[in-house]
Amino acid sequence: GSFSEYGITGMLQACSYVFFAYVGFDSVSTVAQEAKSPERSLPIAIIGSTIIALLLYVGVCTVMVGLVPYDLLNSDSPLAEAIKATPYGLWLSIVMNLGVIASLTTVGLTVMLSQTRIFYAMAHDGLLPPIFAKIHPQMTTPWVSILISGAFCAVFSSICPVDIFGGTTSISALITYIFVHIIVIVMRYTHRDISRAFEVPFGSWLIPTVGSLLCILLMKCITKATGFRFLAWTALGQIIYFSYGFWHSKQRILRKSKSVVGSVESLRTVEDIREQYTYNGLELDLASENTKSGV
């Protein structure tokens, strides 16, 4: 076979496209503020959901290649092709289709949940307009952000092929995870005293380094068209950031305010010292005059 279709290279090529199927576990972290005990429940949810998804994917793929030859799975509905080889093809196909509809609906809602919480956090920090942080008075959810995100996803998912979305989502997630791995290492030195209810096992270097290298390895299999689409999408994000987010960032305003306050305090200190010296000078002059006059 060709270099990118079979063997290890073919597997990496496939992983680059189906990687987006695993990105759901990071949705757990976006609702940390809504969890009762996030320091305990978040690690369990993230690690547990990843392991469960891994076992399900591996198990289904193993059963599929055990039912039919692998070349018959090269279709838009490989699971349906595998079910046709069983004596339960009719009713099992109906159950599978219902399960697909339910699972896709769940995935859509989960992604919407995490995306709207990200927009809420960004708007709360001043990186997006305040409308994205508007909370419904009864449901206590960012309802405006939900409506905007839902309309955007509905329009683009109806006109764009799924392979374009899959590849773009994969490279976006891979680059994001590279920065997350690097930040874990950096924060161990820049934020040593921060409270860590769950630390990355095996030290601060091993897993982040291996994870970064694996992400880079998967990115090498991304097509040029996907890379260009990602660059265009990133450029759009930079335009939004530097046209609005940079100027309204609360962190930037806070740092600027602190620098102004520090400058004012320095000026006050200088003025106080000068006034004190002036006051002391006047006292010395008065004392000298009194001495001369014999008082």
Side-chain angles (χ1 to χ4, degrees):
S2 63
F3 182 76
S4 61
E5 290 186 2
Y6 298 97
I8 296 178
T9 55
M11 181 192 67
L12 292 175
Q13 185 79 16
C15 288
S16 301
Y17 282 98
V18 302
F19 184 79
F20 71 94
Y22 282 88
V23 299
F25 70 88
D26 59 350
S27 301
V28 178
S29 60
T30 61
V31 293
Q33 292 181 337
E34 303 175 47
K36 292 183 178 180
S37 54
E39 68 280 353
R40 178 181 180 274
S41 58
L42 255 65
I44 296 175
I46 293 175
I47 298 174
S49 60
T50 305
I51 294 175
I52 291 173
L54 173 67
L55 295 176
L56 287 175
Y57 280 130
V58 173
V60 171
C61 291
T62 303
V63 173
M64 287 169 62
V65 296
L67 287 173
V68 296
Y70 73 92
D71 54 339
L72 295 181
L73 299 175
N74 187 20
S75 65
D76 293 333
S77 55
L79 194 56
E81 295 294 333
I83 290 177
K84 289 179 182 178
T86 67
Y88 316 104
L90 179 59
W91 67 268
L92 193 56
S93 296
I94 297 174
V95 173
M96 183 200 69
N97 291 330
L98 293 175
V100 168
I101 295 173
S103 62
L104 287 177
T105 304
T106 304
V107 170
L109 292 175
T110 303
V111 173
M112 289 286 297
L113 173 68
S114 60
Q115 187 60 62
T116 53
R117 268 54 179 183
I118 292 173
F119 283 163
Y120 171 80
M122 293 177 67
H124 188 267
D125 292 340
L127 301 177
L128 287 177
I131 191 173
F132 286 94
K134 191 173 182 179
I135 301 297
H136 194 277
Q138 296 179 347
M139 303 297 180
T140 63
T141 55
W143 64 280
V144 177
S145 178
I146 292 174
L147 293 178
I148 295 175
S149 301
F152 182 87
C153 293
V155 171
F156 277 85
S157 61
S158 63
I159 61 178
C160 294
V162 66
D163 57 341
I164 293 179
F165 275 125
T168 307
T169 303
S170 294
I171 188 173
S172 302
L174 288 170
I175 290 179
T176 302
Y177 294 155
I178 288 175
F179 281 104
V180 170
H181 285 115
I182 295 174
I183 287 172
V184 169
I185 299 176
V186 173
M187 288 188 65
R188 290 295 178 92
Y189 296 94
T190 59
H191 297 74
R192 293 178 180 271
D193 299 330
I194 194 173
S195 177
R196 293 180 172 89
F198 178 83
E199 292 188 4
V200 177
F202 308 111
S204 59
W205 285 89
L206 181 60
I207 291 182
T209 303
V210 174
S212 302
L213 295 176
L214 290 176
C215 290
I216 295 173
L217 180 62
L218 291 178
M219 285 176 57
K220 290 180 63 66
C221 300
I222 296 292
T223 61
K224 291 183 179 180
T226 302
F228 288 140
R229 284 192 295 268
F230 173 75
L231 291 177
W233 191 251
T234 303
L236 177 61
Q238 296 301 312
I239 293 173
I240 295 174
Y241 173 72
F242 285 105
S243 61
Y244 182 89
F246 177 79
W247 303 103
H248 296 82
S249 172
K250 293 182 179 180
Q251 290 290 332
R252 177 177 174 272
I253 296 173
L254 180 61
R255 286 196 298 267
K256 189 175 181 180
S257 301
K258 286 182 177 180
S259 63
V260 172
V261 171
S263 301
V264 172
E265 289 180 351
S266 298
L267 290 175
R268 281 180 182 171
T269 303
V270 172
E271 291 295 331
D272 292 342
I273 294 173
R274 186 177 300 169
E275 290 178 0
Q276 186 67 30
Y277 276 122
T278 303
Y279 178 75
N280 293 336
L282 289 173
E283 283 187 340
L284 290 174
D285 291 340
L286 289 173
S288 177
E289 291 293 333
N290 292 335
T291 303
K292 289 180 182 179
S293 60
V295 177

